[in-house]
Amino acid sequence: MPVPNAAVQETAIGPSPHRVVNDFSIQVATVNGSGSQTANLVLIRSIFQMGVPVSGKNMFPSNIAGLPTWYTIRASKDGYIGRKKEIDVLVAMNPETAKEDVLSLESGAAVIYDEPLNLKALRADLLFYPVPFDKLVAPVCPDAKLRRLVRNMIYDGVLSCLLKIDMAQMEKALRKQFGKKAKAVELNLGALTAGYGYAEANLPKQDPFYIEPMDQTAGKILIEGNAAAALGCMMAGVTVVAWYPITPSSSLPETLIDYMRKYRTDKETGKATFAIVQAEDEIASIGMVLGAGWAGARAMTSTAGPGVSLMSEFAGLAYYAEVPGVVFDIQRVGPSTGLPTRTAQGDILTTAVVSHGDTKHILLLPASVGECYSMAMDAFDLAEQFQTLVFVMSDLDLGMNTWMSDPFEYPTRPLSRGKLLDAETLERLGTEWGRYRDVDGDGIPYRTIPGDGMPAYFARGSGHNERGQYSERPDDYQRNLERLARKFETAKRFVPQPEASEQEGAEIGIIAYGTSHFAVMESRDQLLSEYGVKTSYLRVRAYPFGDEVRAFVERHKRIYVVEQNRDAQMRSLLKIDLPADLASKYRSVLHFNGLPIDARSVTDDLLEQEGAKPAAPKKAVAFSGGLGGE
Amino acid sequence: MADTPTVPPAPAKKTNRLGLEVAPYRGGRTTLCAGCGHNAISERIVESFWEMGVDGSQVIKLSGIGCSSKSPAYFLGTSHGFNAVHGRMPSVATGAILANKTLIAIGVSGDGDTGAIGIGQFVHLMRRNVPMIYIIEDNGCYGLTKGQFSPTADVGSTLKNGVVNDLPPLDTCVMAIELGATFVARSFSGDKKQLSAILKAAIAHRGTAMIDVLSPCVTFNDHSGSTKSYAYVKEHDEVLGEISFVPFFDDIAVEYEPGTTKEVTLHDGSRLYLKKVAEEYDPTDKLKALRVLHETARRGEYATGVLYVEPDRDDFTTLLNTIDEPLATLPLDKVRPPKAALDEIMESLR
C-alpha cells in the first residue's frame, strides 16, 4: 500500500490560513471485515448529496477478515474522478498500518486517528486529531458485540464536524443505507452524533479542508461498474447467464440476479424470462454460453483473467463455429493468481486473440459506468450480428468502485439479432445458402437455430466447408479463414468508434482506453495549465480499431499509449494492426502497481520522456517550449 | 371380357406417426471403422426416433471429441448438431436446453470423453438433471488416438504393446445413479432389441437419461492375443492385408432373455458377460440398483437394462421455473423491462 515517499519535515505547522474547498481526498484505513464499508458509503453519499463531485475507491486485501483495507474518497470541484495519489485527510483506524500510512502523507495533511495509537509523535508537519473511539462508542452502543461495527460511524461524525459536511445529509445517507432497519439506524445515528459532538467540543479546526455545497451532482447517480453492466445486460434482453464466482466479477451476476428476479419474473406465475446458472467452473460457464448462443439465446458470462485463460479453448470454438456470446472480463492483476483484488488492464492482448490457431475477438473497452451499461447492449447486438464472442473489458477499478454518473438512458433501439435465416431469405438465396457461405460480401453468413424450421447444420470446431460439412480440403479451410478475417474487417464499422479530443497544434497524441481515461483527462489539463504542453487525445473504445485510430496516429508526431500493464499491450495491438511505418511513433506510459492509475504519474512520466524532467509543478508558469522531439 | 391383368400393389412404404419414412432419420455416411459398435448404436438411434415419431427439426444432437463424438453426424440428418470440445459437451447441452427447453436433446460421448477430461461436467450434468439423453459409447479405449486406455478400461486389460492396466474402471452407471440422474441404463451395442427399447424409454423420459452402451472397438483391441487381430488377419488373408487396414468385421449381435447372462466374444477374442436384469426387477429402488451393479461387477459381469428410474423429480428447467416458451426467441417486450423499471432503479441510485 502507500509507499512512504514524503520526507519527514521538522517544522511544526499550525492552523492553516487558507482554505481548500471541495478539492481533496480522504482515506480511511481500517481492517478488512470491520464493517467500515457502511460508514464509507455514508460519507461518500453525503458529500455527493451536497452537490460535490466524488469518486470512491476501495483498496482491499484478498482475504475475508483481519487484513488492512483502505477506502479513498476524492472530492473534486472540477469533476476529476480518477485516483489522486496524494492523501489529504487520513482516518487511521488500523494499528497495523497506521504508522506507514502516516509516514506516507504529504506535508500538511490531516490525520484523524484512534487515540491509543499515539501517532502524533511521528510527524511534526501534519495536523493530528486524536479521537477516543472506544470511549465514545460504549455509551451509544450498549451491546458490546455490535460496537465493532457501530464504531466506524463515529469517524463520519468527526469528519462531518471538521470538514463541514452537512449532518442532515449524513443522516439522510445513513437512512438510505440502512433502509427499514430501525435498530441499525438508531445505533449508527447515535455513533454519528457522538463523533460530531466530540469533535465540536475537543478538536479545534486546524486543517484547510472544507466541503461546501455545490450544484454539480443534481440528477446524477452513484453506481459501481458491475451493477451498471448488470443493468445493461438486463436491458439488452439477456436470457441465459452462466457464471462462476471470481473476484472482481462476481458482483456483476449477483446484481443481475437481483434485478432479474425483480423485473424479469412474472409477478403472478413466478415464471422467469431468464435462466441464471452458477456453473461448476469457468469452462462450464462459457460452454453453457456457447450452447445457449448456438440455440439462439442472448447468453453471457462474466469473469476475470484466470477465467478467460480457462475459457480459451471454447473461445476458439465460438470463433470458428461462429457462435454468439458475451463475456465480461473484469480485469484484475495477473499473471497467474496475481493480486486478485487489485486493478490492471492486463488481459487486453491475450483476450484479443485468445485460443490457439488464428483467432481474433471483438473487444469493447468501457471507460465509465455509463459505458458499462451501454456497451453491455452493444455487446449483445454485436455478438449476434457477427456470430462470435464479444469481450467487454472492464476492470476492478471500474467494476467494484463507486462512480458518479449521469443517469442511464432507456434504450430505444430494438434488439439486433443479426442474420437469422428466415423463409423469405431462404427463398431469395435458395441453393446459395450455406451455413458458412458469404452471400453478402461482408463475411457474415446466415445462421439458423434449432427448432426454427430452417435448414439444420452441424456446428463443429473441426474443418468445415461453406455448407457446414466436415472438410479437410485446403481450399475450404483457407476460404473459411479468409472469410472470418473479412467478417472481422466488417466489424470495424459497427463497433463503438473512438472518441477524439484535439488541441490545435498539438504534436503529442495520447491514446488510452478504459479506466486510464480519467487520469489522462486530468493529466492533459495539468500538462496544459502547469507546463503549457498541448496534447491531443484519442480514446479507443473497441477492437478491431476503426479507421480513425490510424488517422489519429498519422496526424501526430509522437503517440503516448497510456495503459495499466507492464508490457504495453495496447501498443502491441496497435503495432500489429496498423501499418508498420507508424510503429516508431509509439511511446508508452505504463502503470502497473495494482492501484488505479493517477493523473500526476501520467504527467510526470510523459514529461520525462519528452526530455523535460518535471519539476514541482508551478501554476501559471508556461513550459518553455523545446519539448522532446524524436 | 378378358380379365384385366392385375398388377400387385407396391408394398406400402413404412411410415411413422408423422408420415415419415426412416430415411430422414438417417445421417451422413459413417467414417468409423467397419464393424464399430458405435455404428450399431447410430442405427438404433435412427430406429427409435423414427418409431417414436419424433420431429427431427425439434431435436438437437451434441457430442464432445473422439470416435463416439463423430456419431451425431451419422444420424438424424434434419437435426441441428453441435460437436463441442473434448469432454465439455454437457455444458453446451445445458446451455442449449436452457435456451430452448422445448427441444429434445441427445448427447453422445465416449468413455474417454466422459470419464477423463469430461468427468467434472458429467457429474454436474447428472446432478442438475438436465433433460436430455446422454449416451456413452463405451469401449474402454481411446480409438481416435490409437488405442490408449480410457478410465473405463478393466483391470488387467492390455495395450497392443503389452502394457497392463492396473487401475480400476469408473462405473458410469453407479456414478450417474449416485449423482442424481433420473434414468440410468446400460446396454450392449449388439443387443438391438434391448437398446432400442431403452432408447425409446429415454426419449419419453423428462430428465437426464444416462445410457452406458458397451461398444467394442474393432481396431485397437487388436493385440497379439487375439485371433482377430490385424496381424492374425494379415497372416491369414494376404489380399485384405495389402488392400486395407480396415477390418472386415461385422457388428456383433446378441439376443438373450431377461434374467439370463450372456457371454459375448468380441472381435479381439476377449469376452463380455452381459447380465440382463430380470423382468421383475424394480428400477425405482436406488439402493437395489446400486447393489445389482456392484454385485455383477464383482462377478465380472455387466448388468444391462434400465437400472434406475426416478420419473417424478423436477428437471433443471422446471427448477429454474423458466417461462413455457423458448427463452431463445422471446420478443423484445418480454425481455426488456419497461422504462418505469429503469426510472425506479435510477431513482434508487440518486
Side-chain angles (χ1 to χ4, degrees), chain A residues 62-84:
Chain A
S62 179
N63 96 324
I64 304 300
L67 288 182
T69 178
W70 295 265
Y71 190 77
T72 309
I73 294 169
R74 180 180 187 185
S76 168
K77 61 180 171 35
D78 303 313
Y80 295 126
I81 53 179
R83 184 169 83 94
K84 178 171 181 268

Side-chain angles (χ1 to χ4, degrees), chain A residues 235 263 272 280 313 410 448 459, chain B residues 80-81 83 88 323 336-337 344:
Chain A
M235 290 296 172
Y263 297 107
E280 57 268 35
E313 188 187 12
Y410 189 72
T448 63
Chain B
H80 276 76
N83 187 201
R88 273 65 60 80
I323 199 164
R336 178 177 287 163
E344 183 180 81

Side-chain angles (χ1 to χ4, degrees), chain B residues 236-258:
Chain B
H236 292 80
D237 189 335
E238 284 300 321
V239 178
L240 181 72
E242 281 166 16
I243 293 169
S244 168
F245 175 70
V246 178
F248 60 92
F249 313 115
D250 290 331
D251 294 338
I252 296 168
V254 296
E255 215 171 300
Y256 61 118
E257 293 303 310

